[in-house]
Each structure stands twice: as structure tokens, then as C-alpha cells.
Amino acid sequence: MEKAEFIWMQGRLVAWDDAKVHVLTHTLHYGVGAFEGIRCYECEDGRSAVFRLREHLVRLDQSCHILGIESPYTVDQLVEACLETIRANRLKACYIRPLIYVADGEMGLGSAMVNPIHASIAVWPWGAYLGDEGLANGIRVRTSSFQRMHVNTLMTKAKATGHYVNSILASIEARRGGYDEALMLDVDGYAAEGCGENLFVVRGGRVKTPPIATVLEGITRNSVIDILRDQGVVVIEERLTRDEIYIADEVFLTGTAAEVTPVQSLDDRRIGAGRPGPITQRVQKEYFEILRGRRAAFSQWLTYL
Ligand SMILES: *Cc1c(COP(=O)(O)O)cnc(C)c1O
């Protein structure tokens, strides 16, 4: 990865190579921690803006609340800290990774309640997560043999570090099999989401996305629903089966990292024409226009540096 100069740790900017933790850091062993993935874009006018910064940091705070740990910083403090970290690194565009973790101290499971809770924010330049080629022409997806965790196994509304074991098992399986990404089904067998992206399916001009019960409530998902409705497209939150995806006209995945990525096939069944369809292209184009600061109607989603 491309390093930046500084990482924010507990209120201080430290050199990238010095941003270290103790090997007995509780989160490293047990996975109780919360994180965010946020992007800062270079706008048309040369300024830089972070997309939905406050919404991400509110979710970070809520993830901590769900996990039963208390963030050591308020949302307002973290908003400032993110902006400070980007400015210090003099980056025009970057990915932003805040992390709240249980530090070292005691080692028992109950120590999540007594050990200090720490925060860090790293930023680095990061291009298209599923590749420029994927963004333009669509990716190949395979249904995972791993299920999305049950709502009462792990908490699906928290973006928790430990949850990513589930996502990474699915991701590695898909990539080893020669696919770009995995589709995860929920424990009832309905389509849930990608490893770190929400799912959208277009059939007969209407757009469907799984309800939030079993999936992470993606901020890109919410943004895309707003964009589609603004474009006059009907969006329904409804359970989907994998065969409904096989016969869909268009499918795409959304996430801060993946942005709006078209899907060209699922389990080797071509979707629609096997190319990004018109609704996918229109929403993807509008999403990028908003990020570049070209849409006054959505300017409240941007925080300029
Ligand atoms: C982060 C994440 C997403 C995407 O959320 P955004 O807020 O759009 O970045 C989707 N699914 C999972 C499991 C995630 O962790």
C-alpha cells in the first residue's frame, strides 16, 4: 500500500512507521473493535471533500455502543481529527480508516469493560477497490459457501473488526475460485450482501435491495436509494433469492470502497446483457458527479477540507 506521512493516534499525529500498538492489545486477540471506511475526493473545483463524514462517524459511535464499549472521543472531535489527519498528510484524495479498539491491560474477556479504549485514524491513497476494470465493465461474483452471520450471533448493525472474519473467509474463497467477489446469503438462504458491499438488483425497471435486518446499513446504500428515488426509480427493500439475481436485468454492489460496481455474472450465469445496464450506469454516473461536487442538491453530503 501507499504510505502517508502521519497517523492520528489518541489525539496526536505520529509518523506512519511509529503508529504501533502492544501485542497484548485486547482487540487483536478477540476482535471487539469498531472501524469505518470513508473516502475523501478531489472535486471539480480543485478542493477536496469527504463524503458523508459525520454519518460515518455517527455509525462508528453506534458500533461502539452496540459492542458495549465507549468511544473515547465524541463524533465532533472525530470529525475534526479526520480533517486534521487528511490536511497533515496533504492528500487531495484518500481513503480514511478510523478505528476504536480495546487497548492492552487485562487479558480476560471481561477486560473489554475495564481496559482503556483507544482511537486511531489512518489515511492513504486508494483507488478503485474492485479495480477500474470492474467499475467500468462489471465483476464476476460467486455465491459463498459461508453464510452471513445470524442477527443474534454477531450484531449486523455494527461495523466491527471481528465481523470481518466472516467477510474474509468468503472473500478468500471467491478469489481462490477465480471470482472477484462473493455474494453472502443470510441464514435463511436469502441474498444478503457482498463481503463489504450492499446489493442492488434491477428487474423490470424497479430496483430491489435486501432489507437491513441481516445486512450492514451501508451509507452508500442509503445514498444510492436517495439518488435512485430522485431519478424517479422505484426502490423496494425486499428479500431476494439467488435465482432472482440470475434472471435480473442488472445487478450492482455499493460501498465506500467499492463505490457503485456493476456485477456481470453470478455463479457463471450472465446477468442481463453481461454489461453494466442503463440504471446501473445512470446511478454510478450521478454518484461520481455528487462526489466531484457537481450536484448542488446533494452538497450537504460533502465536508470540504
Ligand atoms: C462497510 C460495509 C458495507 C458498506 O457500507 P458503506 O457505509 O456503504 O461503506 C457493506 N457491508 C458490510 C458488511 C460492510 O462492512
Side-chain angles (χ1 to χ4, degrees), residues 1 7 10 19 27-28 30 35 63 78 92 101 103 111 139 145-146 161 182 193 222 227 229 232 265 268 289 298 300:
M1 70 192 288
I7 292 180
Q10 286 292 95
T27 299
L28 195 54
Y30 303 122
F35 71 98
S63 296
L78 291 174
K92 278 287 191 186
Y101 58 97
S111 323
I139 57 165
S145 72
F146 298 98
T161 59
E193 59 184 325
N222 290 347
I227 294 169
R229 289 188 175 147
S265 66
D268 300 307
E289 294 287 323
F298 292 101
Q300 75 280 8

mmCIF file of all heavy atoms in Angstrom, residues 1 7 10 19 27-28 30 35 63 78 92 101 103 111 139 145-146 161 182 193 222 227 229 232 265 268 289 298 300:
data_model
loop_
_atom_site.group_PDB
_atom_site.id
_atom_site.type_symbol
_atom_site.label_atom_id
_atom_site.label_comp_id
_atom_site.label_asym_id
_atom_site.label_seq_id
_atom_site.Cartn_x
_atom_site.Cartn_y
_atom_site.Cartn_z
ATOM 1 N N MET A 1 0.829 -1.199 0.000
ATOM 2 C CA MET A 1 0.000 0.000 0.000
ATOM 3 C C MET A 1 0.865 1.251 0.000
ATOM 4 O O MET A 1 2.026 1.207 0.405
ATOM 5 C CB MET A 1 -0.941 -0.003 1.221
ATOM 6 C CG MET A 1 -0.260 0.208 2.554
ATOM 7 S SD MET A 1 -1.349 -0.136 3.947
ATOM 8 C CE MET A 1 -2.444 1.250 3.888
ATOM 9 N N ILE A 7 -0.123 9.248 11.045
ATOM 10 C CA ILE A 7 -1.343 8.585 11.511
ATOM 11 C C ILE A 7 -1.734 9.242 12.839
ATOM 12 O O ILE A 7 -0.869 9.519 13.674
ATOM 13 C CB ILE A 7 -1.117 7.064 11.661
ATOM 14 C CG1 ILE A 7 -0.926 6.438 10.265
ATOM 15 C CG2 ILE A 7 -2.290 6.404 12.405
ATOM 16 C CD1 ILE A 7 -0.697 4.941 10.255
ATOM 17 N N GLN A 10 -4.815 8.599 19.299
ATOM 18 C CA GLN A 10 -5.114 9.157 20.618
ATOM 19 C C GLN A 10 -4.815 10.650 20.695
ATOM 20 O O GLN A 10 -4.190 11.104 21.644
ATOM 21 C CB GLN A 10 -4.288 8.411 21.673
ATOM 22 C CG GLN A 10 -4.804 7.006 21.953
ATOM 23 C CD GLN A 10 -6.144 7.054 22.647
ATOM 24 O OE1 GLN A 10 -7.181 6.981 22.004
ATOM 25 N NE2 GLN A 10 -6.149 7.211 23.949
ATOM 26 N N ALA A 19 3.285 4.226 14.268
ATOM 27 C CA ALA A 19 1.894 4.072 14.744
ATOM 28 C C ALA A 19 1.672 2.612 15.150
ATOM 29 O O ALA A 19 1.071 1.822 14.427
ATOM 30 C CB ALA A 19 0.919 4.501 13.659
ATOM 31 N N THR A 27 -8.199 -6.066 21.389
ATOM 32 C CA THR A 27 -8.905 -6.227 20.108
ATOM 33 C C THR A 27 -8.163 -7.160 19.156
ATOM 34 O O THR A 27 -8.773 -7.887 18.373
ATOM 35 C CB THR A 27 -9.128 -4.837 19.460
ATOM 36 O OG1 THR A 27 -9.927 -4.053 20.348
ATOM 37 C CG2 THR A 27 -9.847 -4.943 18.122
ATOM 38 N N LEU A 28 -6.852 -7.163 19.241
ATOM 39 C CA LEU A 28 -6.038 -8.018 18.373
ATOM 40 C C LEU A 28 -6.323 -9.492 18.654
ATOM 41 O O LEU A 28 -6.265 -10.342 17.771
ATOM 42 C CB LEU A 28 -4.571 -7.683 18.640
ATOM 43 C CG LEU A 28 -3.495 -8.136 17.679
ATOM 44 C CD1 LEU A 28 -3.785 -7.679 16.259
ATOM 45 C CD2 LEU A 28 -2.153 -7.572 18.142
ATOM 46 N N TYR A 30 -9.325 -10.644 20.381
ATOM 47 C CA TYR A 30 -10.732 -11.046 20.471
ATOM 48 C C TYR A 30 -11.666 -10.357 19.483
ATOM 49 O O TYR A 30 -12.831 -10.739 19.378
ATOM 50 C CB TYR A 30 -11.232 -10.814 21.903
ATOM 51 C CG TYR A 30 -10.402 -11.544 22.948
ATOM 52 C CD1 TYR A 30 -9.782 -10.855 23.975
ATOM 53 C CD2 TYR A 30 -10.242 -12.931 22.889
ATOM 54 C CE1 TYR A 30 -9.024 -11.525 24.936
ATOM 55 C CE2 TYR A 30 -9.478 -13.604 23.837
ATOM 56 C CZ TYR A 30 -8.871 -12.903 24.858
ATOM 57 O OH TYR A 30 -8.136 -13.560 25.796
ATOM 58 N N PHE A 35 -14.745 0.030 13.330
ATOM 59 C CA PHE A 35 -13.983 0.839 12.378
ATOM 60 C C PHE A 35 -14.913 1.449 11.347
ATOM 61 O O PHE A 35 -16.098 1.117 11.276
ATOM 62 C CB PHE A 35 -12.876 0.017 11.713
ATOM 63 C CG PHE A 35 -13.358 -1.028 10.738
ATOM 64 C CD1 PHE A 35 -13.374 -0.774 9.373
ATOM 65 C CD2 PHE A 35 -13.785 -2.270 11.176
ATOM 66 C CE1 PHE A 35 -13.804 -1.740 8.470
ATOM 67 C CE2 PHE A 35 -14.219 -3.239 10.283
ATOM 68 C CZ PHE A 35 -14.229 -2.973 8.924
ATOM 69 N N SER A 63 -21.602 1.766 16.517
ATOM 70 C CA SER A 63 -20.982 0.438 16.543
ATOM 71 C C SER A 63 -20.392 0.175 17.927
ATOM 72 O O SER A 63 -20.547 -0.916 18.483
ATOM 73 C CB SER A 63 -19.879 0.332 15.484
ATOM 74 O OG SER A 63 -20.413 0.447 14.184
ATOM 75 N N LEU A 78 -14.022 13.567 16.470
ATOM 76 C CA LEU A 78 -13.509 12.680 15.419
ATOM 77 C C LEU A 78 -13.648 13.309 14.027
ATOM 78 O O LEU A 78 -12.811 13.084 13.158
ATOM 79 C CB LEU A 78 -14.204 11.313 15.483
ATOM 80 C CG LEU A 78 -13.834 10.472 16.715
ATOM 81 C CD1 LEU A 78 -14.684 9.207 16.780
ATOM 82 C CD2 LEU A 78 -12.347 10.096 16.726
ATOM 83 N N LYS A 92 -4.898 15.067 -1.579
ATOM 84 C CA LYS A 92 -6.056 15.627 -2.286
ATOM 85 C C LYS A 92 -7.240 14.658 -2.225
ATOM 86 O O LYS A 92 -8.396 15.053 -2.170
ATOM 87 C CB LYS A 92 -5.684 15.872 -3.757
ATOM 88 C CG LYS A 92 -4.950 17.175 -3.987
ATOM 89 C CD LYS A 92 -5.935 18.303 -3.836
ATOM 90 C CE LYS A 92 -5.389 19.636 -4.296
ATOM 91 N NZ LYS A 92 -6.363 20.704 -3.978
ATOM 92 N N TYR A 101 -10.487 0.775 19.409
ATOM 93 C CA TYR A 101 -10.109 -0.565 19.857
ATOM 94 C C TYR A 101 -9.872 -0.612 21.358
ATOM 95 O O TYR A 101 -9.593 0.401 21.996
ATOM 96 C CB TYR A 101 -8.890 -1.067 19.085
ATOM 97 C CG TYR A 101 -7.655 -0.193 19.199
ATOM 98 C CD1 TYR A 101 -6.652 -0.485 20.113
ATOM 99 C CD2 TYR A 101 -7.504 0.925 18.389
ATOM 100 C CE1 TYR A 101 -5.515 0.305 20.215
ATOM 101 C CE2 TYR A 101 -6.380 1.728 18.488
ATOM 102 C CZ TYR A 101 -5.395 1.415 19.398
ATOM 103 O OH TYR A 101 -4.283 2.210 19.495
ATOM 104 N N ALA A 103 -7.580 -1.444 24.208
ATOM 105 C CA ALA A 103 -6.123 -1.497 24.331
ATOM 106 C C ALA A 103 -5.691 -2.613 25.282
ATOM 107 O O ALA A 103 -6.508 -3.381 25.779
ATOM 108 C CB ALA A 103 -5.608 -0.146 24.802
ATOM 109 N N SER A 111 -12.311 -7.919 30.205
ATOM 110 C CA SER A 111 -11.432 -6.747 30.176
ATOM 111 C C SER A 111 -11.890 -5.717 29.153
ATOM 112 O O SER A 111 -11.462 -4.569 29.194
ATOM 113 C CB SER A 111 -10.000 -7.138 29.843
ATOM 114 O OG SER A 111 -9.686 -8.352 30.429
ATOM 115 N N ILE A 139 -18.055 -6.973 -12.438
ATOM 116 C CA ILE A 139 -17.243 -8.022 -11.824
ATOM 117 C C ILE A 139 -17.984 -9.355 -11.865
ATOM 118 O O ILE A 139 -19.189 -9.414 -12.086
ATOM 119 C CB ILE A 139 -16.883 -7.665 -10.372
ATOM 120 C CG1 ILE A 139 -18.159 -7.408 -9.542
ATOM 121 C CG2 ILE A 139 -15.956 -6.452 -10.335
ATOM 122 C CD1 ILE A 139 -17.912 -7.396 -8.053
ATOM 123 N N SER A 145 -19.985 -20.213 0.157
ATOM 124 C CA SER A 145 -20.409 -21.345 0.987
ATOM 125 C C SER A 145 -20.529 -20.904 2.448
ATOM 126 O O SER A 145 -21.028 -21.634 3.283
ATOM 127 C CB SER A 145 -19.420 -22.506 0.866
ATOM 128 O OG SER A 145 -18.217 -22.193 1.530
ATOM 129 N N PHE A 146 -20.052 -19.695 2.739
ATOM 130 C CA PHE A 146 -20.179 -19.144 4.100
ATOM 131 C C PHE A 146 -21.412 -18.259 4.172
ATOM 132 O O PHE A 146 -21.644 -17.447 3.285
ATOM 133 C CB PHE A 146 -18.943 -18.308 4.462
ATOM 134 C CG PHE A 146 -17.677 -19.112 4.471
ATOM 135 C CD1 PHE A 146 -16.828 -19.099 3.380
ATOM 136 C CD2 PHE A 146 -17.349 -19.895 5.568
ATOM 137 C CE1 PHE A 146 -15.666 -19.856 3.376
ATOM 138 C CE2 PHE A 146 -16.185 -20.654 5.567
ATOM 139 C CZ PHE A 146 -15.337 -20.633 4.461
ATOM 140 N N THR A 161 -14.622 -5.043 13.947
ATOM 141 C CA THR A 161 -13.429 -5.684 13.380
ATOM 142 C C THR A 161 -13.625 -7.201 13.292
ATOM 143 O O THR A 161 -13.352 -7.801 12.269
ATOM 144 C CB THR A 161 -12.180 -5.365 14.216
ATOM 145 O OG1 THR A 161 -12.395 -5.827 15.552
ATOM 146 C CG2 THR A 161 -11.894 -3.868 14.261
ATOM 147 N N ALA A 182 -17.590 -12.271 -3.439
ATOM 148 C CA ALA A 182 -18.573 -13.267 -3.005
ATOM 149 C C ALA A 182 -19.913 -12.610 -2.725
ATOM 150 O O ALA A 182 -19.971 -11.468 -2.277
ATOM 151 C CB ALA A 182 -18.072 -13.955 -1.744
ATOM 152 N N GLU A 193 -25.622 -9.712 1.128
ATOM 153 C CA GLU A 193 -24.732 -8.660 0.639
ATOM 154 C C GLU A 193 -23.413 -9.267 0.183
ATOM 155 O O GLU A 193 -23.209 -10.473 0.304
ATOM 156 C CB GLU A 193 -24.503 -7.603 1.726
ATOM 157 C CG GLU A 193 -23.897 -8.146 3.002
ATOM 158 C CD GLU A 193 -23.756 -7.093 4.120
ATOM 159 O OE1 GLU A 193 -23.492 -5.932 3.809
ATOM 160 O OE2 GLU A 193 -23.911 -7.474 5.280
ATOM 161 N N ASN A 222 -27.670 3.801 1.444
ATOM 162 C CA ASN A 222 -28.658 4.855 1.678
ATOM 163 C C ASN A 222 -28.560 5.953 0.634
ATOM 164 O O ASN A 222 -29.579 6.461 0.162
ATOM 165 C CB ASN A 222 -28.459 5.486 3.069
ATOM 166 C CG ASN A 222 -28.838 4.524 4.185
ATOM 167 O OD1 ASN A 222 -29.458 3.498 3.937
ATOM 168 N ND2 ASN A 222 -28.460 4.838 5.401
ATOM 169 N N ILE A 227 -30.533 8.627 -4.445
ATOM 170 C CA ILE A 227 -30.244 9.038 -5.830
ATOM 171 C C ILE A 227 -31.272 8.418 -6.785
ATOM 172 O O ILE A 227 -31.834 9.098 -7.640
ATOM 173 C CB ILE A 227 -28.808 8.632 -6.242
ATOM 174 C CG1 ILE A 227 -27.765 9.420 -5.427
ATOM 175 C CG2 ILE A 227 -28.586 8.842 -7.745
ATOM 176 C CD1 ILE A 227 -26.338 8.903 -5.564
ATOM 177 N N ARG A 229 -34.299 7.308 -6.138
ATOM 178 C CA ARG A 229 -35.639 7.888 -5.944
ATOM 179 C C ARG A 229 -35.697 9.282 -6.556
ATOM 180 O O ARG A 229 -36.702 9.664 -7.158
ATOM 181 C CB ARG A 229 -36.014 7.889 -4.463
ATOM 182 C CG ARG A 229 -36.289 6.438 -4.008
ATOM 183 C CD ARG A 229 -36.863 6.345 -2.604
ATOM 184 N NE ARG A 229 -37.196 4.934 -2.331
ATOM 185 C CZ ARG A 229 -37.120 4.342 -1.161
ATOM 186 N NH1 ARG A 229 -36.724 5.018 -0.088
ATOM 187 N NH2 ARG A 229 -37.433 3.062 -1.024
ATOM 188 N N GLY A 232 -36.473 9.170 -9.980
ATOM 189 C CA GLY A 232 -37.809 8.652 -10.287
ATOM 190 C C GLY A 232 -37.882 7.138 -10.377
ATOM 191 O O GLY A 232 -38.878 6.585 -10.840
ATOM 192 N N SER A 265 -21.781 -11.230 -13.710
ATOM 193 C CA SER A 265 -22.308 -12.592 -13.605
ATOM 194 C C SER A 265 -22.334 -13.032 -12.149
ATOM 195 O O SER A 265 -21.555 -12.553 -11.328
ATOM 196 C CB SER A 265 -21.458 -13.567 -14.431
ATOM 197 O OG SER A 265 -20.163 -13.669 -13.876
ATOM 198 N N ASP A 268 -21.452 -17.862 -12.559
ATOM 199 C CA ASP A 268 -21.249 -18.091 -14.000
ATOM 200 C C ASP A 268 -22.518 -17.952 -14.841
ATOM 201 O O ASP A 268 -22.523 -18.330 -16.008
ATOM 202 C CB ASP A 268 -20.582 -19.460 -14.261
ATOM 203 C CG ASP A 268 -19.227 -19.543 -13.585
ATOM 204 O OD1 ASP A 268 -18.393 -18.638 -13.812
ATOM 205 O OD2 ASP A 268 -19.016 -20.485 -12.799
ATOM 206 N N GLU A 289 -20.686 12.226 -9.939
ATOM 207 C CA GLU A 289 -20.927 13.673 -10.105
ATOM 208 C C GLU A 289 -21.073 14.336 -8.732
ATOM 209 O O GLU A 289 -20.531 15.414 -8.485
ATOM 210 C CB GLU A 289 -22.211 13.926 -10.915
ATOM 211 C CG GLU A 289 -22.156 13.473 -12.380
ATOM 212 C CD GLU A 289 -21.285 14.374 -13.242
ATOM 213 O OE1 GLU A 289 -21.280 15.596 -13.024
ATOM 214 O OE2 GLU A 289 -20.588 13.835 -14.121
ATOM 215 N N PHE A 298 -27.140 17.768 -3.653
ATOM 216 C CA PHE A 298 -26.590 16.788 -2.711
ATOM 217 C C PHE A 298 -25.339 17.326 -2.004
ATOM 218 O O PHE A 298 -24.562 16.556 -1.449
ATOM 219 C CB PHE A 298 -26.252 15.492 -3.450
ATOM 220 C CG PHE A 298 -27.465 14.742 -3.947
ATOM 221 C CD1 PHE A 298 -27.866 14.819 -5.282
ATOM 222 C CD2 PHE A 298 -28.202 13.949 -3.078
ATOM 223 C CE1 PHE A 298 -28.981 14.130 -5.733
ATOM 224 C CE2 PHE A 298 -29.315 13.248 -3.530
ATOM 225 C CZ PHE A 298 -29.711 13.343 -4.860
ATOM 226 N N GLN A 300 -24.941 18.740 0.688
ATOM 227 C CA GLN A 300 -24.881 18.523 2.145
ATOM 228 C C GLN A 300 -24.155 17.214 2.480
ATOM 229 O O GLN A 300 -23.825 16.978 3.640
ATOM 230 C CB GLN A 300 -26.301 18.541 2.765
ATOM 231 C CG GLN A 300 -27.156 17.321 2.526
ATOM 232 C CD GLN A 300 -27.830 17.300 1.132
ATOM 233 O OE1 GLN A 300 -27.548 18.117 0.275
ATOM 234 N NE2 GLN A 300 -28.701 16.309 0.930
#
